[in-house]
Amino acid sequence: MRRVSVFGATGSVGQNTLDLIARRSDEFDVVALSGGANVDLLARQARALRAEHAVIAQENLLPDLRDALAGSGIKASAGRDAVLAAAAVPVDWAMSAVVGFAGLEISLAIARNTKTLALANKESLVCGGALLTKVCAENDTLLLPVDSEHSAILQCIGGADKEVERIILTASGGPFLHSDPKALETATPEQAMAHPNWDMGQRISIDSASMFNKAMEVLETHALFDVTPDQIEVIIHPQSIIHSMVGFADGAIMAHLGPADMRGPIGFALNWPDRVDLPLERLDFGALGALSFQHPDPAQFPALELASQTMQMGGLAGAAFNAAKEAALDLFLDRRIGFLDMARVVRAVLAQTDVAGNDTLSIKDVIDADAIARVRAVEAAQKGF
């Protein structure tokens, strides 16, 4: 029996993780599950998988969670400290899927106490990549990425990491792929949310339209695979069948293809180093037809250039980038700035960011940089960047 915990259990990644665990429940001992505000779902998950401990992030919901778990013998707790305490319980494998900057401290706690950290929280690497990888190394914790792009890269690299020449991330292009950059100045949140391929949440959809999500993945790639900024490329691939590609020194390129189903990368991380049968659709290449590619237009997607700048800066630039991006998105949703102004806000914040050496970073440094950047983002918008 492998002892496992899932943080962010009630979100999309968490639910898919528990789906795979439930299919082979005799192989897993579920220690802790955490959720944000969905008490009913968290309680059902904990009961179904006989978890030892269920934690709800919002403290005021603790009485509801206790009521929902009454008679089950499952421990209930609530609040930020309770989540961190659960993350510090030693297990064999843990999923870090709490959304946003709040996931960084949870990932660090897992890394100090867990044999394998399955990471689905982008901010952990973008904001504190050097810190997290250092903690993993110090505690002999295996870090396995769960983003489909980075899982694909890991699978393509195999044992040939010393011969990697380039890493190519694919992007769908979103709703503005064929738009004139000038027209994007007046694009609305509703237009930015209209993704041609997927029905995603508001913030994720807009991040996709602006390619800030891909910029985050570029930064994650830099932190995970120890490659230089000029070794990372982004190519637009509207069909979203190829998740990532890796080019090697001999000119060969390995591509990872698969359906758009998060149970693929989750299952790879859950079963590492083995591969097991997963309940995924198998690709029909005759039905797929052609796969197409094109270079992204920097005028349409300035976030990619900002990611390159952030990598060159190093240190706390990643924390500033993420915080400014989130603050700029809030401003765009409030219709206080335009669509392309989000990149201008981030650029202005990066210009004011003091970076520290990666070897000296602490979690306090990252938290402080995040708070400062959010204030500077609002100030930049008020001043017109």
Side-chain angles (χ1 to χ4, degrees):
M1 295 284 284
R2 294 170 62 199
R3 287 169 56 83
V4 301
S5 291
V6 178
F7 298 91
T10 56
S12 175
V13 171
Q15 290 183 59
N16 279 314
T17 302
L18 295 184
D19 172 68
L20 294 179
I21 289 173
R23 292 169 186 269
R24 293 159 47 216
S25 59
D26 58 329
E27 298 179 26
F28 300 100
D29 179 12
V30 179
V31 176
L33 300 178
S34 83
N38 193 334
V39 169
D40 290 340
L41 177 56
L42 180 62
R44 289 200 306 271
Q45 291 172 329
R47 284 179 176 274
L49 292 167
R50 299 182 178 87
E52 297 176 14
H53 188 183
V55 192
I56 197 77
Q58 296 187 20
E59 292 190 41
N60 63 302
L61 296 177
L62 180 56
D64 294 336
L65 181 61
R66 283 176 172 159
D67 288 345
L69 292 174
S72 68
I74 299 169
K75 177 184 176 183
S77 61
R80 178 74 175 170
D81 290 345
V83 175
L84 291 173
V89 175
V91 293
D92 298 304
W93 186 96
M95 168 65 75
S96 179
V98 173
V99 175
F101 183 72
L104 172 58
E105 281 191 280
I106 296 168
S107 296
L108 288 169
I110 293 171
R112 293 186 179 99
N113 299 281
T114 304
K115 294 178 182 178
T116 299
L117 164 59
L119 185 64
N121 172 266
K122 293 181 184 296
E123 291 76 10
S124 292
L125 288 169
V126 172
C127 302
L131 181 58
L132 179 61
T133 53
K134 180 182 177 183
V135 170
C136 285
E138 290 173 346
N139 292 275
D140 198 25
T141 298
L142 176 64
L143 172 58
L144 293 176
V146 173
D147 267 358
S148 59
E149 293 80 5
H150 303 100
S151 177
I153 293 166
L154 180 64
Q155 294 178 58
C156 287
I157 288 176
D161 55 303
K162 290 182 174 61
E163 291 79 37
V164 170
E165 183 178 75
R166 55 203 284 229
I167 292 178
I168 306 165
L169 299 169
T170 59
S172 69
F176 298 141
L177 176 57
H178 303 294
S179 299
D180 184 326
K182 293 181 179 178
L184 297 185
E185 294 285 2
T186 57
T188 66
E190 291 75 21
Q191 291 171 322
M193 286 187 287
H195 196 285
N197 298 343
W198 302 294
D199 181 14
M200 303 181 292
Q202 181 185 63
R203 301 181 72 87
I204 296 174
S205 296
I206 296 174
D207 274 351
S208 177
S210 64
M211 277 212 198
F212 265 112
N213 72 320
K214 199 57 53 177
M216 295 277 283
E217 289 167 9
V218 167
L219 297 174
E220 288 181 88
T221 300
H222 180 56
L224 274 170
F225 299 105
D226 194 29
V227 290
T228 61
D230 59 2
Q231 288 179 283
I232 306 172
E233 306 171 27
V234 174
I235 194 77
I236 292 176
H237 168 50
Q239 295 81 18
S240 301
I241 296 299
I242 297 177
H243 300 301
S244 286
M245 295 177 274
V246 177
F248 297 93
D250 59 1
I253 293 180
M254 299 283 287
H256 180 282
L257 289 74
D261 189 327
M262 280 304 298
R263 290 178 297 180
I266 293 168
F268 180 78
L270 181 63
N271 298 292
W272 170 278
D274 300 321
R275 287 185 182 271
V276 304
D277 182 33
L278 296 175
L280 306 182
E281 176 187 359
R282 271 43 177 179
L283 293 180
D284 180 344
F285 286 90
L288 283 176
L291 302 180
S292 60
F293 308 91
Q294 68 184 76
H295 292 294
D297 182 348
Q300 285 178 297
F301 306 114
L304 298 177
E305 184 275 327
L306 291 172
S308 180
Q309 178 185 340
T310 300
M311 286 187 288
Q312 297 287 357
M313 293 173 66
L316 293 167
F321 176 94
N322 176 72
K325 173 196 78 76
E326 291 188 359
L329 177 53
D330 289 335
L331 292 166
F332 174 62
L333 287 169
D334 289 341
R335 290 175 167 78
R336 294 166 62 186
I337 62 173
F339 181 76
L340 291 180
D341 290 337
M342 290 189 289
R344 297 180 181 118
V345 167
V346 175
R347 184 176 291 109
V349 172
L350 287 176
Q352 301 176 69
T353 299
D354 297 321
V355 297
N358 286 340
D359 293 338
T360 63
L361 290 183
S362 68
I363 185 61
K364 182 180 184 304
D365 294 329
V366 177
I367 292 172
D368 289 347
D370 174 88
I372 292 169
R374 291 176 191 273
V375 172
R376 286 176 173 169
V378 175
E379 292 174 347
Q382 291 172 342
K383 295 175 181 177
F385 322 113

Short mmCIF file of all heavy atoms in Angstrom, two decimals, residues 303-362:
data_model
loop_
_atom_site.label_atom_id
_atom_site.label_comp_id
_atom_site.label_asym_id
_atom_site.label_seq_id
_atom_site.Cartn_x
_atom_site.Cartn_y
_atom_site.Cartn_z
N ALA A 303 3.40 38.57 -23.88
CA ALA A 303 3.72 37.84 -22.64
C ALA A 303 4.92 36.93 -22.83
O ALA A 303 5.68 36.69 -21.89
CB ALA A 303 2.51 37.03 -22.19
N LEU A 304 5.12 36.40 -24.04
CA LEU A 304 6.22 35.48 -24.27
C LEU A 304 7.57 36.18 -24.15
O LEU A 304 8.53 35.63 -23.60
CB LEU A 304 6.08 34.81 -25.65
CG LEU A 304 4.81 33.96 -25.83
CD1 LEU A 304 4.74 33.42 -27.24
CD2 LEU A 304 4.78 32.82 -24.81
N GLU A 305 7.64 37.40 -24.66
CA GLU A 305 8.89 38.17 -24.52
C GLU A 305 9.14 38.52 -23.06
O GLU A 305 10.29 38.53 -22.60
CB GLU A 305 8.81 39.44 -25.38
CG GLU A 305 10.08 40.27 -25.41
CD GLU A 305 10.20 41.23 -24.22
OE1 GLU A 305 9.15 41.72 -23.77
OE2 GLU A 305 11.34 41.48 -23.77
N LEU A 306 8.09 38.78 -22.32
CA LEU A 306 8.23 39.09 -20.89
C LEU A 306 8.73 37.87 -20.12
O LEU A 306 9.48 38.01 -19.15
CB LEU A 306 6.90 39.57 -20.33
CG LEU A 306 6.43 40.94 -20.84
CD1 LEU A 306 5.00 41.21 -20.37
CD2 LEU A 306 7.37 42.04 -20.36
N ALA A 307 8.33 36.69 -20.55
CA ALA A 307 8.84 35.47 -19.91
C ALA A 307 10.34 35.35 -20.14
O ALA A 307 11.09 34.98 -19.23
CB ALA A 307 8.12 34.24 -20.46
N SER A 308 10.79 35.66 -21.35
CA SER A 308 12.22 35.62 -21.64
C SER A 308 12.98 36.62 -20.77
O SER A 308 14.04 36.30 -20.21
CB SER A 308 12.46 35.91 -23.12
OG SER A 308 13.83 35.89 -23.43
N GLN A 309 12.43 37.82 -20.63
CA GLN A 309 13.06 38.83 -19.77
C GLN A 309 13.13 38.35 -18.32
O GLN A 309 14.15 38.54 -17.65
CB GLN A 309 12.26 40.14 -19.86
CG GLN A 309 12.80 41.25 -18.96
CD GLN A 309 11.92 42.48 -18.97
OE1 GLN A 309 11.12 42.69 -19.89
NE2 GLN A 309 12.07 43.33 -17.97
N THR A 310 12.06 37.72 -17.86
CA THR A 310 12.00 37.24 -16.48
C THR A 310 13.06 36.17 -16.24
O THR A 310 13.73 36.16 -15.19
CB THR A 310 10.60 36.69 -16.17
OG1 THR A 310 9.64 37.74 -16.36
CG2 THR A 310 10.51 36.17 -14.74
N MET A 311 13.24 35.27 -17.18
CA MET A 311 14.26 34.23 -17.04
C MET A 311 15.65 34.85 -16.98
O MET A 311 16.50 34.41 -16.19
CB MET A 311 14.17 33.24 -18.20
CG MET A 311 12.99 32.29 -18.13
SD MET A 311 13.04 31.01 -19.41
CE MET A 311 12.64 31.98 -20.89
N GLN A 312 15.89 35.85 -17.81
CA GLN A 312 17.20 36.50 -17.81
C GLN A 312 17.48 37.20 -16.49
O GLN A 312 18.61 37.20 -15.99
CB GLN A 312 17.27 37.52 -18.96
CG GLN A 312 17.15 36.93 -20.35
CD GLN A 312 18.40 36.18 -20.80
OE1 GLN A 312 19.40 36.13 -20.10
NE2 GLN A 312 18.33 35.58 -21.99
N MET A 313 16.44 37.76 -15.87
CA MET A 313 16.60 38.46 -14.60
C MET A 313 16.87 37.50 -13.46
O MET A 313 17.71 37.74 -12.60
CB MET A 313 15.35 39.29 -14.29
CG MET A 313 15.14 40.46 -15.24
SD MET A 313 13.54 41.30 -14.96
CE MET A 313 13.79 41.98 -13.30
N GLY A 314 16.14 36.38 -13.40
CA GLY A 314 16.31 35.40 -12.34
C GLY A 314 15.84 35.90 -10.99
O GLY A 314 15.12 36.90 -10.88
N GLY A 315 16.26 35.21 -9.93
CA GLY A 315 15.92 35.63 -8.57
C GLY A 315 14.44 35.76 -8.34
O GLY A 315 13.66 34.84 -8.57
N LEU A 316 14.03 36.96 -7.88
CA LEU A 316 12.64 37.21 -7.53
C LEU A 316 11.78 37.69 -8.70
O LEU A 316 10.61 38.01 -8.51
CB LEU A 316 12.59 38.25 -6.40
CG LEU A 316 13.15 37.77 -5.06
CD1 LEU A 316 13.34 38.95 -4.10
CD2 LEU A 316 12.22 36.73 -4.43
N ALA A 317 12.36 37.73 -9.88
CA ALA A 317 11.60 38.21 -11.04
C ALA A 317 10.39 37.34 -11.31
O ALA A 317 9.34 37.84 -11.72
CB ALA A 317 12.51 38.28 -12.26
N GLY A 318 10.51 36.03 -11.10
CA GLY A 318 9.37 35.14 -11.34
C GLY A 318 8.20 35.45 -10.42
O GLY A 318 7.04 35.45 -10.85
N ALA A 319 8.50 35.74 -9.16
CA ALA A 319 7.43 36.09 -8.22
C ALA A 319 6.77 37.40 -8.63
O ALA A 319 5.55 37.55 -8.56
CB ALA A 319 8.00 36.20 -6.80
N ALA A 320 7.58 38.36 -9.06
CA ALA A 320 7.04 39.65 -9.51
C ALA A 320 6.20 39.48 -10.77
O ALA A 320 5.13 40.08 -10.91
CB ALA A 320 8.18 40.64 -9.75
N PHE A 321 6.68 38.66 -11.69
CA PHE A 321 5.95 38.40 -12.94
C PHE A 321 4.57 37.83 -12.63
O PHE A 321 3.56 38.31 -13.14
CB PHE A 321 6.75 37.42 -13.80
CG PHE A 321 6.06 36.99 -15.07
CD1 PHE A 321 6.30 37.64 -16.26
CD2 PHE A 321 5.17 35.92 -15.07
CE1 PHE A 321 5.66 37.24 -17.43
CE2 PHE A 321 4.53 35.51 -16.22
CZ PHE A 321 4.78 36.18 -17.41
N ASN A 322 4.52 36.79 -11.81
CA ASN A 322 3.24 36.15 -11.52
C ASN A 322 2.28 37.10 -10.81
O ASN A 322 1.10 37.18 -11.15
CB ASN A 322 3.47 34.91 -10.66
CG ASN A 322 2.17 34.26 -10.24
OD1 ASN A 322 1.48 33.65 -11.04
ND2 ASN A 322 1.81 34.40 -8.98
N ALA A 323 2.78 37.81 -9.80
CA ALA A 323 1.91 38.72 -9.04
C ALA A 323 1.38 39.84 -9.93
O ALA A 323 0.19 40.20 -9.87
CB ALA A 323 2.68 39.31 -7.87
N ALA A 324 2.26 40.41 -10.77
CA ALA A 324 1.83 41.48 -11.66
C ALA A 324 0.82 40.97 -12.68
O ALA A 324 -0.16 41.65 -13.02
CB ALA A 324 3.05 42.08 -12.37
N LYS A 325 1.05 39.76 -13.18
CA LYS A 325 0.10 39.15 -14.13
C LYS A 325 -1.28 38.99 -13.51
O LYS A 325 -2.30 39.31 -14.13
CB LYS A 325 0.63 37.79 -14.57
CG LYS A 325 -0.32 36.99 -15.44
CD LYS A 325 0.08 35.54 -15.52
CE LYS A 325 -0.29 34.73 -14.30
NZ LYS A 325 -1.74 34.40 -14.24
N GLU A 326 -1.32 38.49 -12.27
CA GLU A 326 -2.61 38.28 -11.62
C GLU A 326 -3.31 39.61 -11.33
O GLU A 326 -4.53 39.74 -11.51
CB GLU A 326 -2.42 37.49 -10.33
CG GLU A 326 -2.00 36.05 -10.56
CD GLU A 326 -2.01 35.22 -9.30
OE1 GLU A 326 -2.33 35.77 -8.22
OE2 GLU A 326 -1.72 34.01 -9.38
N ALA A 327 -2.54 40.60 -10.88
CA ALA A 327 -3.13 41.91 -10.61
C ALA A 327 -3.62 42.57 -11.90
O ALA A 327 -4.69 43.20 -11.93
CB ALA A 327 -2.10 42.81 -9.93
N ALA A 328 -2.85 42.42 -12.97
CA ALA A 328 -3.25 43.00 -14.26
C ALA A 328 -4.52 42.34 -14.78
O ALA A 328 -5.40 43.01 -15.36
CB ALA A 328 -2.12 42.84 -15.27
N LEU A 329 -4.66 41.04 -14.57
CA LEU A 329 -5.88 40.35 -14.99
C LEU A 329 -7.09 40.88 -14.22
O LEU A 329 -8.17 41.09 -14.79
CB LEU A 329 -5.72 38.84 -14.79
CG LEU A 329 -6.94 37.97 -15.11
CD1 LEU A 329 -7.46 38.24 -16.51
CD2 LEU A 329 -6.58 36.49 -14.94
N ASP A 330 -6.92 41.12 -12.92
CA ASP A 330 -8.01 41.71 -12.13
C ASP A 330 -8.42 43.06 -12.71
O ASP A 330 -9.61 43.38 -12.81
CB ASP A 330 -7.59 41.87 -10.68
CG ASP A 330 -7.47 40.54 -9.94
OD1 ASP A 330 -8.13 39.58 -10.35
OD2 ASP A 330 -6.70 40.48 -8.96
N LEU A 331 -7.42 43.86 -13.06
CA LEU A 331 -7.69 45.19 -13.62
C LEU A 331 -8.41 45.08 -14.96
O LEU A 331 -9.32 45.87 -15.26
CB LEU A 331 -6.38 45.96 -13.78
CG LEU A 331 -5.66 46.35 -12.48
CD1 LEU A 331 -4.24 46.79 -12.77
CD2 LEU A 331 -6.43 47.47 -11.78
N PHE A 332 -8.02 44.11 -15.77
CA PHE A 332 -8.68 43.91 -17.07
C PHE A 332 -10.13 43.46 -16.87
O PHE A 332 -11.05 43.95 -17.54
CB PHE A 332 -7.91 42.89 -17.89
CG PHE A 332 -8.57 42.50 -19.18
CD1 PHE A 332 -8.81 43.44 -20.17
CD2 PHE A 332 -8.95 41.18 -19.40
CE1 PHE A 332 -9.43 43.08 -21.38
CE2 PHE A 332 -9.56 40.81 -20.61
CZ PHE A 332 -9.80 41.76 -21.58
N LEU A 333 -10.35 42.54 -15.92
CA LEU A 333 -11.71 42.08 -15.67
C LEU A 333 -12.59 43.21 -15.14
O LEU A 333 -13.81 43.23 -15.40
CB LEU A 333 -11.68 40.92 -14.67
CG LEU A 333 -11.16 39.59 -15.22
CD1 LEU A 333 -10.94 38.60 -14.08
CD2 LEU A 333 -12.15 39.01 -16.23
N ASP A 334 -11.99 44.15 -14.41
CA ASP A 334 -12.73 45.32 -13.92
C ASP A 334 -12.86 46.41 -14.98
O ASP A 334 -13.42 47.48 -14.69
CB ASP A 334 -12.02 45.91 -12.69
CG ASP A 334 -12.14 45.01 -11.47
OD1 ASP A 334 -13.04 44.14 -11.46
OD2 ASP A 334 -11.34 45.18 -10.53
N ARG A 335 -12.31 46.14 -16.17
CA ARG A 335 -12.34 47.07 -17.31
C ARG A 335 -11.62 48.40 -17.00
O ARG A 335 -11.98 49.45 -17.51
CB ARG A 335 -13.78 47.32 -17.77
CG ARG A 335 -14.40 46.09 -18.43
CD ARG A 335 -15.86 46.28 -18.78
NE ARG A 335 -16.33 45.24 -19.67
CZ ARG A 335 -16.66 44.00 -19.33
NH1 ARG A 335 -16.55 43.62 -18.07
NH2 ARG A 335 -17.07 43.12 -20.22
N ARG A 336 -10.58 48.30 -16.17
CA ARG A 336 -9.78 49.48 -15.85
C ARG A 336 -8.57 49.61 -16.78
O ARG A 336 -7.97 50.68 -16.86
CB ARG A 336 -9.33 49.41 -14.38
CG ARG A 336 -10.49 49.51 -13.41
CD ARG A 336 -10.10 49.11 -12.00
NE ARG A 336 -9.07 49.96 -11.43
CZ ARG A 336 -8.49 49.73 -10.25
NH1 ARG A 336 -8.84 48.67 -9.53
NH2 ARG A 336 -7.57 50.55 -9.79
N ILE A 337 -8.20 48.50 -17.43
CA ILE A 337 -7.15 48.53 -18.45
C ILE A 337 -7.60 47.66 -19.61
O ILE A 337 -8.54 46.86 -19.49
CB ILE A 337 -5.79 48.03 -17.91
CG1 ILE A 337 -5.89 46.56 -17.47
CG2 ILE A 337 -5.29 48.91 -16.77
CD1 ILE A 337 -4.55 45.94 -17.10
N GLY A 338 -6.91 47.81 -20.75
CA GLY A 338 -7.23 47.03 -21.93
C GLY A 338 -6.51 45.69 -21.94
O GLY A 338 -5.68 45.39 -21.08
N PHE A 339 -6.82 44.88 -22.95
CA PHE A 339 -6.27 43.53 -23.06
C PHE A 339 -4.74 43.55 -23.16
O PHE A 339 -4.04 42.85 -22.42
CB PHE A 339 -6.88 42.82 -24.26
CG PHE A 339 -6.41 41.41 -24.46
CD1 PHE A 339 -6.89 40.39 -23.65
CD2 PHE A 339 -5.49 41.10 -25.45
CE1 PHE A 339 -6.44 39.09 -23.82
CE2 PHE A 339 -5.04 39.80 -25.63
CZ PHE A 339 -5.52 38.79 -24.82
N LEU A 340 -4.21 44.35 -24.08
CA LEU A 340 -2.76 44.41 -24.24
C LEU A 340 -2.08 45.19 -23.12
O LEU A 340 -0.86 45.09 -22.94
CB LEU A 340 -2.40 45.02 -25.60
CG LEU A 340 -2.74 44.15 -26.82
CD1 LEU A 340 -2.33 44.86 -28.10
CD2 LEU A 340 -2.05 42.78 -26.73
N ASP A 341 -2.87 45.96 -22.37
CA ASP A 341 -2.30 46.69 -21.24
C ASP A 341 -1.81 45.75 -20.14
O ASP A 341 -0.96 46.12 -19.32
CB ASP A 341 -3.33 47.65 -20.63
CG ASP A 341 -3.64 48.83 -21.54
OD1 ASP A 341 -2.78 49.15 -22.39
OD2 ASP A 341 -4.73 49.41 -21.41
N MET A 342 -2.34 44.53 -20.10
CA MET A 342 -1.88 43.59 -19.08
C MET A 342 -0.38 43.36 -19.21
O MET A 342 0.35 43.34 -18.21
CB MET A 342 -2.65 42.26 -19.20
CG MET A 342 -4.10 42.35 -18.78
SD MET A 342 -4.93 40.73 -18.66
CE MET A 342 -5.05 40.28 -20.40
N ALA A 343 0.10 43.22 -20.42
CA ALA A 343 1.54 43.03 -20.63
C ALA A 343 2.31 44.30 -20.27
O ALA A 343 3.42 44.23 -19.73
CB ALA A 343 1.80 42.64 -22.08
N ARG A 344 1.73 45.45 -20.53
CA ARG A 344 2.41 46.71 -20.19
C ARG A 344 2.55 46.86 -18.68
O ARG A 344 3.57 47.38 -18.19
CB ARG A 344 1.63 47.88 -20.79
CG ARG A 344 1.59 47.84 -22.32
CD ARG A 344 0.81 49.01 -22.92
NE ARG A 344 0.79 48.90 -24.37
CZ ARG A 344 -0.31 48.76 -25.12
NH1 ARG A 344 -1.50 48.73 -24.52
NH2 ARG A 344 -0.22 48.65 -26.42
N VAL A 345 1.55 46.42 -17.95
CA VAL A 345 1.62 46.46 -16.48
C VAL A 345 2.75 45.56 -15.99
O VAL A 345 3.56 45.94 -15.15
CB VAL A 345 0.27 46.04 -15.85
CG1 VAL A 345 0.43 45.77 -14.36
CG2 VAL A 345 -0.78 47.13 -16.07
N VAL A 346 2.80 44.34 -16.51
CA VAL A 346 3.85 43.40 -16.08
C VAL A 346 5.23 43.94 -16.43
O VAL A 346 6.17 43.86 -15.62
CB VAL A 346 3.63 42.02 -16.73
CG1 VAL A 346 4.78 41.08 -16.38
CG2 VAL A 346 2.30 41.42 -16.26
N ARG A 347 5.37 44.52 -17.60
CA ARG A 347 6.66 45.08 -18.01
C ARG A 347 7.09 46.20 -17.05
O ARG A 347 8.26 46.29 -16.65
CB ARG A 347 6.58 45.61 -19.44
CG ARG A 347 7.92 46.13 -19.98
CD ARG A 347 7.84 46.55 -21.43
NE ARG A 347 7.67 45.39 -22.30
CZ ARG A 347 6.56 45.08 -22.95
NH1 ARG A 347 5.47 45.86 -22.81
NH2 ARG A 347 6.49 44.03 -23.72
N ALA A 348 6.14 47.04 -16.67
CA ALA A 348 6.46 48.14 -15.75
C ALA A 348 6.88 47.62 -14.38
O ALA A 348 7.80 48.17 -13.76
CB ALA A 348 5.25 49.07 -15.62
N VAL A 349 6.24 46.57 -13.91
CA VAL A 349 6.59 46.00 -12.61
C VAL A 349 7.96 45.35 -12.66
O VAL A 349 8.78 45.51 -11.74
CB VAL A 349 5.51 45.00 -12.15
CG1 VAL A 349 5.97 44.26 -10.89
CG2 VAL A 349 4.19 45.71 -11.88
N LEU A 350 8.26 44.62 -13.71
CA LEU A 350 9.57 43.99 -13.84
C LEU A 350 10.69 45.03 -13.85
O LEU A 350 11.78 44.81 -13.30
CB LEU A 350 9.64 43.15 -15.11
CG LEU A 350 8.85 41.83 -15.11
CD1 LEU A 350 8.95 41.17 -16.48
CD2 LEU A 350 9.36 40.89 -14.03
N ALA A 351 10.41 46.20 -14.44
CA ALA A 351 11.42 47.26 -14.50
C ALA A 351 11.75 47.79 -13.12
O ALA A 351 12.83 48.36 -12.91
CB ALA A 351 10.93 48.39 -15.40
N GLN A 352 10.84 47.60 -12.15
CA GLN A 352 11.07 48.09 -10.79
C GLN A 352 11.54 47.00 -9.83
O GLN A 352 11.75 47.26 -8.64
CB GLN A 352 9.77 48.68 -10.22
CG GLN A 352 9.18 49.82 -11.02
CD GLN A 352 7.85 50.25 -10.42
OE1 GLN A 352 7.79 50.80 -9.32
NE2 GLN A 352 6.76 49.97 -11.10
N THR A 353 11.69 45.78 -10.33
CA THR A 353 11.95 44.64 -9.45
C THR A 353 13.45 44.47 -9.19
O THR A 353 14.25 44.38 -10.12
CB THR A 353 11.39 43.34 -10.08
OG1 THR A 353 9.98 43.48 -10.23
CG2 THR A 353 11.69 42.14 -9.19
N ASP A 354 13.79 44.42 -7.91
CA ASP A 354 15.15 44.10 -7.51
C ASP A 354 15.26 42.59 -7.36
O ASP A 354 14.48 41.97 -6.62
CB ASP A 354 15.50 44.76 -6.17
CG ASP A 354 15.46 46.28 -6.27
OD1 ASP A 354 15.90 46.81 -7.30
OD2 ASP A 354 15.00 46.93 -5.31
N VAL A 355 16.22 41.99 -8.05
CA VAL A 355 16.35 40.53 -7.98
C VAL A 355 17.47 40.17 -7.02
O VAL A 355 18.45 40.89 -6.88
CB VAL A 355 16.62 39.92 -9.37
CG1 VAL A 355 15.45 40.18 -10.30
CG2 VAL A 355 17.89 40.49 -9.99
N ALA A 356 17.29 39.04 -6.35
CA ALA A 356 18.31 38.52 -5.43
C ALA A 356 18.85 37.23 -6.01
O ALA A 356 18.22 36.59 -6.85
CB ALA A 356 17.71 38.28 -4.05
N GLY A 357 20.00 36.82 -5.57
CA GLY A 357 20.58 35.58 -6.05
C GLY A 357 19.73 34.38 -5.68
O GLY A 357 19.16 34.32 -4.60
N ASN A 358 19.63 33.40 -6.58
CA ASN A 358 18.81 32.23 -6.33
C ASN A 358 19.22 31.48 -5.08
O ASN A 358 18.39 30.87 -4.39
CB ASN A 358 18.88 31.28 -7.54
CG ASN A 358 18.08 31.80 -8.72
OD1 ASN A 358 17.21 32.64 -8.56
ND2 ASN A 358 18.39 31.30 -9.91
N ASP A 359 20.50 31.49 -4.75
CA ASP A 359 20.99 30.72 -3.61
C ASP A 359 20.57 31.31 -2.27
O ASP A 359 20.66 30.64 -1.24
CB ASP A 359 22.52 30.61 -3.66
CG ASP A 359 23.00 29.78 -4.85
OD1 ASP A 359 22.21 28.98 -5.35
OD2 ASP A 359 24.16 29.96 -5.26
N THR A 360 20.15 32.57 -2.27
CA THR A 360 19.84 33.23 -1.00
C THR A 360 18.34 33.42 -0.79
O THR A 360 17.94 33.99 0.22
CB THR A 360 20.53 34.60 -0.94
OG1 THR A 360 20.02 35.44 -1.98
CG2 THR A 360 22.03 34.46 -1.10
N LEU A 361 17.51 32.94 -1.69
CA LEU A 361 16.07 33.17 -1.59
C LEU A 361 15.46 32.38 -0.43
O LEU A 361 15.82 31.24 -0.17
CB LEU A 361 15.37 32.76 -2.88
CG LEU A 361 15.60 33.63 -4.12
CD1 LEU A 361 14.77 33.10 -5.28
CD2 LEU A 361 15.26 35.07 -3.84
N SER A 362 14.51 33.02 0.25
CA SER A 362 13.72 32.35 1.28
C SER A 362 12.25 32.50 0.91
O SER A 362 11.88 33.32 0.06
CB SER A 362 13.97 32.98 2.65
OG SER A 362 13.44 34.31 2.68
#
